[in-house]
Each structure stands twice: as C-alpha cells, then as structure tokens.
Amino acid sequence: MAILTTLISAFAPIFLVLSPLTSYTDQILSIHRTRTSAGFSLDIPLIMLVASILKIFYWPGARYDLSLLVQALVMVGVQVVLLKVALDNRGGWRGDGSGGGLLKGDGVGEKGLWAPSGTGSGRSRAGIWEGGRPFRFWRWRKQQPYWQFLLLLTTLLVTLHLLLRPTPSSPSPFYTDLIGYLGLAIEATLPLPQMLSNYHSRSCKGFRVSVLANWLLGDAMKMGFFFASDSAKVPWAFKLCGCFQAICDVGLGVQWWAYGDGGDEGLKGEERRGNFRQERERERDVRLT
C-alpha cells in the first residue's frame, strides 16, 4: 500500500497538469475537422473557465498543492481555445464576433442585450428571459459577449484580491473559503449540461468518447491523489467536490452505454432543432424591433 501511495503521489501531479490537454485536444480537433459543434454543450467551457479562474484566485489564501494551480492555469488556456473553436462552428450561429457586446447588443436587433423589449408590463420580462435564460446568458449570438463576461469576472476577482489580500494566515478566511468552495462546486457540475444535452437528443453524438475516458481516468487519479495527500496540500473542498463529479462522470458513462453516438440522425436532429430555435428567435427579434 505504501508503494502505491508513493507512485500516486509521484505521477498524479504530472497527470493532473497534462489532463486539460489530454481531455480536450481531441474534442477541439473533432469540432475543427467536422466544422460543427452540434451535440457539444457550450456550458462545458463556461463551467471549466469559471471554475478554473476561481481556483486560481483560491490559491493565494489556501496555498494548496502547486500542481493543482498549474492545472487550473493550463485549463484556462485550453478552454479558451475550445470555446473559440466551438463558437466559430455553431450551426446556424456563424458570427464574426463583431458588433454588439455584453452591455450593448449581441445581435439582438439594435437595442442591445439589456434594453427592454416590447411595451408595458411585458417589457422587462421579454428582455430578461428571451432564449430560456436570463439575458440569454451564454446563448448570445455574437462572440464578443462571451469574452466580455470572462474579462469582467477576472477583473472583479482581481479587484477583490487587491482589496482583501487573502493569505493562509488571514484572520478571516471567509473570502478564501467562499471562492474555493464555489469554484470547486461549479467544476463538480461539469458533466451535468452534457448529460442533459444527451438526454434531450437521446444521443451522445458530438461528445467525444476520448473526453469521457479522460474524465473517468482523471477521476480515479484525482481521488487517489486527493485522499493520499494531507489536508494542508489538498483541502477537503477538493475531495468533496471531486467525489460528486466522479459520480456524475459515471452517470455520463452510463448514458454513453445506453445511447451510443446515435448515428448520423442524432446529430442531424440536433442541428435541425438548433437551427429551428435560432430561426424562431430571429423572427421574435424582428417583431420586437
């Protein structure tokens, strides 16, 4: 048992640092090669970017194992590339990212993302809940709002960090604990959007089995490393959220076993539904402008 623990402690950090590359490179290449991101949930880059950014700002106050910090930095770079490739290859959403923005329009007519739609009591409700999410969050047509959101989040965290200056010896660790648990809890939900997408399409088409395999292998490696390390190197937040994510990844594996890739019809059906939704939204925008 001591030998196994030693091996895990020696090789797990290397695996963790490289895991963003091994997990998502094939997905990036697949989307680029097929010129479509249908079947792939854009919420995956959202979750991993927000979680990784929070984990980076968690480190100064927690000083957890350095390999986990490096993993978060590498993950941000990989997810930025994945998000860009996925946005460039959305069916029916081809946009050059020009014009509009998070606060001034995203291709929703000329009024902008935050401007009220319609008249009377329905103005705010229509403007806020269009697209099924508040302010069409992470469902924008243009690319610019995605990058603006990430920039705003990073700027906010930098400002809080400079004001609070968290360190392991801080008398009030509330801020450090908050962003740590928040970031890791967000990361733990990573498989859920893809599971919902697979459930609605009754297919895993568009989601690479290599990603799933790396997630499951990464869960096994992380669990071994987390529980072989003391709480000073790996806080309990990593362990608890890691366990939840591992359970969800197993559920995603069950979906793959049950649905398979669904054949070409699964992907075509997903593309048709996506195009139909976009056409309905464009028609609604024309009526509201």
Side-chain angles (χ1 to χ4, degrees):
M1 192 54 143
I3 296 177
L4 179 61
T5 301
T6 301
L7 290 175
I8 291 175
S9 299
F11 291 103
I14 299 174
F15 177 86
L16 291 173
V17 169
L18 296 177
S19 61
L21 295 171
T22 58
S23 295
Y24 295 101
T25 298
D26 186 48
Q27 182 75 64
I28 293 170
L29 293 176
S30 175
I31 294 174
H32 179 72
R33 184 171 56 251
T34 61
R35 298 297 178 185
T36 178
S37 58
F40 175 75
S41 175
L42 276 178
D43 289 331
I44 289 178
L46 168 65
I47 290 171
M48 292 311 302
L49 282 167
V50 173
S52 298
I53 291 171
L54 287 171
K55 284 164 62 179
I56 291 170
F57 285 92
Y58 178 41
W59 188 83
R63 298 298 170 95
Y64 54 80
D65 192 82
L66 189 61
S67 63
L68 297 173
L69 173 63
V70 176
Q71 181 200 36
L73 292 167
V74 175
M75 184 66 77
V76 168
V78 171
Q79 293 300 323
V80 165
V81 174
L82 178 57
L83 177 60
K84 174 62 176 173
V85 172
L87 290 174
D88 284 344
N89 293 280
R90 286 183 295 178
W93 288 68
R94 306 291 173 150
D96 58 4
S98 61
L102 187 62
L103 302 177
K104 269 186 73 174
D106 62 335
V108 186
E110 298 296 329
K111 297 182 179 179
L113 184 64
W114 302 98
S117 302
T119 59
S121 61
R123 293 176 61 184
S124 59
R125 286 197 299 271
I128 292 175
W129 290 103
E130 281 188 88
R133 294 188 181 189
F135 304 109
R136 286 184 174 176
F137 180 72
W138 216 253
R139 289 293 182 268
W140 302 300
R141 289 185 186 164
K142 297 293 185 180
Q143 293 191 22
Q144 187 177 348
Y146 294 86
W147 310 118
Q148 288 180 335
F149 167 76
L150 295 172
L151 179 61
L152 286 172
L153 174 64
T154 304
T155 302
L156 173 63
L157 289 171
V158 168
T159 303
L160 289 173
H161 182 80
L162 292 176
L163 290 174
L164 300 176
R165 300 185 180 276
T167 64
S169 58
S170 297
S172 178
F174 174 76
Y175 169 72
T176 296
D177 293 340
L178 176 63
I179 63 171
Y181 274 93
L182 182 60
L184 292 164
I186 291 173
E187 183 178 356
T189 66
L190 173 63
L192 298 183
Q194 190 64 51
M195 291 176 71
L196 290 173
S197 176
N198 295 343
Y199 174 76
H200 290 307
S201 64
R202 294 296 192 275
S203 168
C204 295
K205 189 74 173 182
F207 179 67
R208 302 290 292 178
V209 68
S210 60
V211 175
L212 174 60
N214 275 282
W215 282 2
L216 293 171
L217 180 60
D219 290 335
M221 188 67 73
K222 282 193 300 185
M223 290 300 98
F225 177 64
F226 288 173
F227 286 97
S229 305
D230 59 51
S231 296
K233 291 182 64 178
V234 181
W236 267 100
F238 281 92
K239 300 174 183 178
L240 295 175
C241 295
C243 288
F244 177 81
Q245 185 177 350
I247 294 171
C248 292
D249 287 341
V250 171
L252 193 55
V254 172
Q255 278 190 327
W256 187 274
W257 173 78
Y259 299 148
D261 61 14
D264 292 337
E265 285 304 312
L267 181 54
K268 290 177 181 177
E270 180 72 13
E271 289 178 327
R272 285 195 296 269
R273 284 189 290 273
N275 292 335
F276 177 70
R277 284 194 297 268
Q278 300 316 313
E279 187 61 32
R280 283 197 310 173
E281 290 182 1
R282 279 193 288 268
E283 290 176 357
R284 184 167 58 243
D285 294 338
V286 170
R287 290 196 300 269
L288 292 173
T289 55

